[in-house]
Amino acid sequence: MLKMRILYVALLWLPCAGSRAFAACPDRDSLYGPRVVYTLPSNDPFSSAKSHVLVSGDYDGDGLLDCCVLNRLSPHICILRGNGDGTFGTPEAYVLPLSASSLYEGMCQGDLDGDGDLDFAAVDFYGCKIAVVFNDGNAVLSPAVIYPTGGGSYPHGILAEDMDGDGDLDLVVTYDIAATVAIWKNDGKGAFTLFNLVSTQGMRPQNVGLGDFDGDGDLDYAAANSEWTDGGGPPNVTVFRNDGTGRMAFVEKILTPATSAPCSSHARDLDGDGFLDLVVGSWTDESLCVLWGDGTGRFSTPLVLVGPPTSTAVEPAIADLDQDGALDIVVALFEPMAINPSRFALMIFWGDGARGFTAGPFLYAGVNPRFPVAEDFDRDGDLDIASIQWYAGTVEVFENLCASGPQFMRGDPNADGRRDISDAVTVLRYLFASAPAPSCMDGADINDSGGIDIADAVTLLGYLFSSLPPPPPPFTACGSDPTEDTLGCDAFPPCD
């Protein structure tokens, strides 16, 4: 089968390096289309609180981005396979180990066993355990391997990163009630051993943000301490420095607004000075805190970005959404807004790259949205947004409407608005009968190889007459070429 696969590296944020000007995009307030909703299966008849964590990656090795959701009280992992055009297939559920007290609070992904595909690790809060699930490379998941975290630990958040510099991914786990961060070392094959327990110097840590804060080449972390308990102190973020082996030393404590309860921490260079900054979400109020890093491992007092009253700015995602070269922040408003009590939303803060942010539009979502991710799900060169709806068990996708180049439909080189045998003939006549070049050469590149040859005609004929997969996007609707090549598109009337 003649098929070219595009290798896609899934990153949380992907600047476009000036490949497209913002002027090509709609007005910022109109940059995203309405939500498309995917409902997840549930094996839990007792509770409606299902979706809890959303991540994205290529889980089946087809070069297309998929989504993965951790369900909280009906404990399973759901994979939605991406179709490459911004749509997803039917969710596939994999059940996690269940006990009478199970409450899965956190999940991460990474190549835990070194075989080249993405695996998962989830934490059971009341069950006090870590469940590691391996991927066979085709999004078929193994039964979970269980690591008890000990009574009274109550694990809440988890990340997979190389904390000791040996080239494999370790697990960094926040123990909520125990107020510690645990580092579980990987043996390189996906087996984990508890290596280090570090007090967070604050109560009720929810998650940590990881990054090289001091520029010494290893990963440090900042814990979001909610202090969400009787007798808790002022809410705060505590910063720790790694000695390169996974042993952590306390650096400083930074207070956040008194009404906040830090629940998430993400490290990115927001102002382009080469030093990592922190973005911290809150579980109890509308404050989103930005802490500027100085490159030595220390951070400024928070710049507070404020959402609408009565909302809570929980988990942010950080990406250049409008393609102006500066990182923006999209945050889930978990509680309804006083300005419209019946509406829940995602909210965007547009960054200017110079420590300034402008409050942007609301993307109206279902009840209690959480865990937004920004990825190019439809491969058109801009970043779409997906989130989960916590109570209803859904994934919601918002398409980025920014146009990255001339609009066309692949597989229609004669530009008549249809894909049929005459299009294959058009390619063959151009190649072998000295016919004029199609006005949209990208439309004639049917297998998206970056060139025009007989394989393009064969690809279209295989789709039309042999039930082979459709050509890559844009195929079912007008769109821009997601792949950089030397071809162009001078005119394509059906998309004008």
Side-chain angles (χ1 to χ4, degrees), residues 159-370:
L159 291 172
E161 293 288 353
D162 182 6
M163 299 302 293
D164 54 5
D166 63 355
D168 50 51
L169 297 180
D170 311 302
L171 298 177
V172 183
V173 186
T174 54
Y175 291 178
D176 186 319
I177 305 299
T180 55
V181 173
I183 296 177
W184 290 73
K185 281 200 174 185
N186 191 340
D187 70 352
K189 299 178 181 179
F192 295 90
T193 304
L194 179 61
F195 169 74
N196 198 8
L197 275 174
V198 184
S199 169
T200 57
Q201 307 291 321
M203 298 181 70
R204 301 299 299 269
Q206 304 293 287
N207 290 281
V208 298
L210 287 168
D212 183 6
F213 303 149
D214 54 6
D216 64 353
D218 48 54
L219 291 175
D220 314 302
Y221 63 68
N225 300 307
S226 69
E227 301 284 344
W228 192 27
T229 184
D230 291 339
N236 61 83
V237 175
T238 49
V239 181
F240 290 79
R241 178 179 292 120
N242 189 349
D243 71 356
T245 70
R247 294 179 175 85
M248 312 301 296
F250 174 70
V251 176
E252 65 175 335
K253 176 183 288 188
I254 304 163
L255 300 184
T256 58
T259 56
S260 69
C263 65
S264 57
S265 176
H266 297 276
R268 296 290 185 276
D269 180 7
L270 296 171
D271 55 1
D273 63 357
F275 307 137
L276 289 176
D277 311 303
L278 293 172
V279 180
V280 180
S282 170
W283 182 246
T284 55
D285 74 354
E286 63 271 22
S287 64
L288 185 70
C289 292
V290 179
L291 289 69
W292 306 108
D294 67 1
T296 71
R298 294 183 175 272
F299 294 86
S300 68
T301 57
L303 165 69
V304 181
L305 307 179
V306 180
T310 74
S311 66
T312 54
V314 281
E315 294 93 8
I318 305 165
D320 183 5
L321 303 174
D322 57 3
Q323 315 221 24
D324 64 352
L327 291 175
D328 312 302
I329 303 171
V330 55
V331 63
L333 302 180
F334 184 73
E335 296 293 341
M337 302 173 286
I339 59 175
N340 191 341
S342 65
R343 303 303 296 268
F344 297 79
L346 306 177
M347 183 179 182
I348 296 174
F349 291 93
W350 304 113
D352 64 7
R355 301 196 174 188
F357 292 89
T358 302
F362 300 121
L363 305 181
Y364 289 111
V367 177
N368 297 122
R370 297 196 68 176

Side-chain angles (χ1 to χ4, degrees), residues 59-62 79 81 92 94 117 135-141:
Y59 305 125
D60 53 8
D62 64 355
I79 290 179
R81 298 181 193 244
E92 303 168 17
Y94 300 86
D117 49 57
N135 181 358
D136 73 347
N138 192 37
V140 176
L141 305 185

Side-chain angles (χ1 to χ4, degrees), residues 93-115:
Y94 300 86
V95 177
L96 291 168
L98 174 66
S99 62
S101 59
S102 286
L103 181 74
Y104 280 86
E105 285 280 3
M107 179 179 69
C108 66
Q109 63 183 17
D111 183 7
L112 301 179
D113 54 4
D115 64 353

